Amino acid sequence: MPVSEDLFARACRVIPGGVNSPVRAFRKLERAPFFVASAHGSHLVSEDGCEYIDYVGTWGPAILGHAPDCVVQAVQQAAARGLSYGTPTRVEVDMAETVCRLVPSIQKVRMTNSGTEATMSAIRLARGFTGRPLIIKFAGCYHGHSDSLLVAAGSGALTHGEPDSAGVPREVAALTLVLPYNQPEAVRRAFAEHPGQIAGIIVEPYPGNAGFYLPRPGFLEFLRDITEKEGALLIFDEVMTGFRISPAGVQGKHGITPDLTTLGKIIGGGLPVGAFGGRQDIMDCVSPLGAVYQAGTLSGNPLAMAAGLAQLQELERTQGWQRLESLGARLEEGIRRALHDARLPLTFKRSGSMFCLFFTSQDVVDLQTASTGDFGMFRRFFLSMLEQGVFTAPSPYETGFISTAHSEDDIDATIHAATRALLSLRA
Ligand code: KE4
């Protein structure tokens, strides 16, 4: 039995579904997931000795590729000084100052241990600051697994058909209004029906948890205007897009100033991390300054801070965003050529180093259109790519990520594999 299959069989006896996060399970793909033994740069090596060009990138953190020297050394040096203290540390100040410098809308920031903690804290803060009960989110957007946000959620919840998780009391879910993304009229109607009741809108400015797609021109600006007018907060969930789409995420690219921003992934360099930050008058409502309680034993952990800071500093030093765009454009050009050659009118979306191939010919602008994809085609494409040594997201409801460690040869090999995989779909 292949090593990964044996490990998965053992895992299934002691871990629910054999994984510590559902999207890793390769469910509905009719094969066991492979277990990674090591990773470096753009490549993963499985316990079976197979090597893959990696476009999952641990779901976003590995923007410099796996185990970049600068991050590994920072973690080793931090670890040698101690692992956690439960007191303030210099590196937390350095991280907070870096985040505030790179993302001008963030005047103060609080670190957490995951994106889930960041978004959970941000909506609690929005409710505490405004004194209002309701939150708006968009169908298919995923903001982690806190009760208020596991309503019509994307990512693994969608993959496994549980967008509204069991265990979330109806009374809690009722405080979250779920609207279709890219539809201003739905947002206007929600505010009209709940005057003075909506604390805020939380949105993935570029949704990446139902596949990857983009706001229609003006939609994000509309959200900024209507929240301003209605006295509600605009929360940009940039856990995936932060420091990736631009140095200041999507908000930097669009010149929009949200009231709060949530972050994660990249700022931990692969270690557990999250953060929420924004306007000082709002953030000063957070304990111990204000009445909105929020805490965490390992928040601002010195190793995670050292890893994230080293990653951000290297990204800035090398201006990695230019390379990400160049590699992304090369991949997009090749995929579009492969789709043309295979005479498959499928939809491909990309911004910088984030991309998604949808197995539908419809344009994708929201969860409904993202869900028109043919899962059978997706599965055959995914398995063919894996057999050819390319690891893409094991779900149609995820995003692909390119790192600065990907080479032009990696991209060209990926295009070659995709061309063969797409032609096999026609057979
Ligand atoms: P975490 O709690 O998983 O650190 O972050 C939650 C989260 C919040 N906001 C956005 C926009 C996110 O994409 C995420 C988590 N991303 C998924 C990948 N699509 C996590 C992968 C997983 O659940 O294993």
Side-chain angles (χ1 to χ4, degrees):
M1 173 188 285
V3 176
S4 283
E5 283 190 25
D6 176 54
L7 283 168
F8 192 53
R10 285 173 49 197
C12 287
R13 287 195 287 274
V14 288
I15 305 170
V19 292
N20 283 311
S21 199
V23 77
R24 305 175 191 170
F26 282 29
R27 286 280 297 275
K28 301 179 191 167
L29 292 179
E30 295 164 12
R31 61 150 286 166
F34 62 85
F35 281 55
V36 171
S38 67
H40 197 270
S42 58
H43 286 220
L44 300 172
V45 180
S46 76
E47 290 280 0
D48 310 288
C50 301
E51 189 157 342
Y52 301 103
I53 302 171
D54 178 24
Y55 289 99
V56 172
T58 177
W59 304 105
I63 193 166
L64 298 179
H66 291 287
D69 291 345
C70 60
V71 174
V72 173
Q73 283 161 21
V75 173
Q76 287 170 335
Q77 288 160 14
R81 294 193 298 270
L83 302 176
S84 177
Y85 315 109
T87 68
T89 59
R90 173 191 299 274
V91 70
E92 291 167 84
V93 182
D94 294 341
M95 170 62 86
E97 288 175 342
T98 301
V99 168
C100 293
R101 176 173 58 82
L102 288 172
V103 189
S105 72
I106 299 180
Q107 296 170 326
K108 283 192 177 177
V109 61
R110 168 65 61 87
M111 304 310 293
T112 64
N113 298 284
S114 68
T116 292
E117 282 187 33
T119 57
M120 174 180 71
S121 305
I123 63 171
R124 179 184 311 140
L125 177 55
R127 287 171 164 151
F129 180 76
T130 62
R132 300 177 177 184
L134 302 182
I135 290 287
I136 287 175
K137 78 176 284 287
F138 294 95
C141 284
Y142 179 73
H143 305 286
H145 61 89
S146 66
D147 281 1
S148 289
L149 293 169
L150 261 188
V151 184
S155 186
L158 196 53
T159 301
H160 297 288
E162 300 132 0
D164 307 307
S165 171
V168 176
R170 266 196 311 277
E171 297 77 6
V172 171
L175 298 175
T176 303
L177 306 177
V178 180
L179 305 179
Y181 186 78
N182 266 329
Q183 293 189 28
E185 201 38 51
V187 180
R188 284 193 195 93
R189 204 166 36 250
F191 277 104
E193 290 169 0
H194 304 277
Q197 293 300 303
I198 296 171
I201 294 179
I202 186 166
V203 63
E204 289 184 66
Y206 285 5
N209 286 290
F212 179 74
Y213 48 93
L214 297 165
R216 286 194 175 111
F219 181 65
L220 297 178
E221 292 74 7
F222 160 77
L223 294 181
R224 177 61 288 178
D225 291 347
I226 194 166
T227 45
E228 202 117 42
K229 208 175 297 157
E230 295 285 346
L233 300 188
L234 179 60
I235 305 169
F236 268 17
D237 179 355
E238 299 225 44
V239 165
M240 277 205 292
T241 55
F243 308 107
R244 180 175 283 276
I245 291 297
S246 89
V250 171
Q251 59 191 273
K253 185 178 173 186
H254 284 252
I256 294 176
T257 302
D259 299 299
L260 292 174
T261 299
T262 53
L263 300 166
K265 298 180 188 271
I266 287 169
I267 60 170
L271 275 66
V273 76
F276 63 102
R279 276 171 38 194
Q280 176 164 335
D281 62 321
I282 302 173
M283 292 301 292
D284 282 352
C285 296
V286 177
S287 179
L289 267 186
V292 178
Y293 195 71
Q294 191 280 337
T297 303
L298 297 174
S299 296
N301 170 269
L303 274 66
M305 295 296 95
L309 198 56
Q311 178 141 274
L312 289 177
Q313 288 168 343
E314 180 67 6
L315 204 46
E316 203 175 4
R317 184 185 70 81
T318 58
Q319 283 300 295
W321 298 283
Q322 292 159 16
R323 175 154 183 76
L324 293 174
E325 176 51 36
S326 160
L327 292 169
R330 188 184 187 107
L331 180 67
E332 177 167 4
E333 195 275 331
I335 296 294
R336 291 193 182 283
R337 190 171 66 244
L339 289 169
H340 175 268
D341 294 351
R343 295 197 305 285
L344 283 171
L346 302 179
T347 295
F348 183 83
K349 296 285 185 183
R350 177 185 75 85
S351 177
S353 58
M354 296 178 76
F355 65 90
C356 182
L357 175 59
F358 291 93
F359 291 82
T360 178
S361 57
Q362 284 195 44
D363 187 22
V364 176
V365 295
D366 57 15
L367 173 62
Q368 189 276 319
T369 45
S371 302
T372 61
D374 179 312
F375 185 81
M377 283 180 85
F378 163 80
R379 184 173 52 77
R380 285 160 52 206
F381 178 82
F382 169 79
L383 293 174
S384 170
M385 293 294 275
L386 204 59
E387 276 154 34
Q388 297 182 79
V390 181
F391 179 41
T392 56
S395 160
Y397 298 117
E398 294 294 350
T399 295
F401 297 96
I402 300 169
S403 80
T404 58
H406 280 76
S407 66
E408 282 72 9
D409 287 348
D410 286 332
I411 299 295
D412 295 346
T414 303
I415 292 163
H416 178 72
T419 302
R420 290 182 57 191
L422 290 169
L423 286 171
S424 73
L425 295 183
R426 292 191 54 79

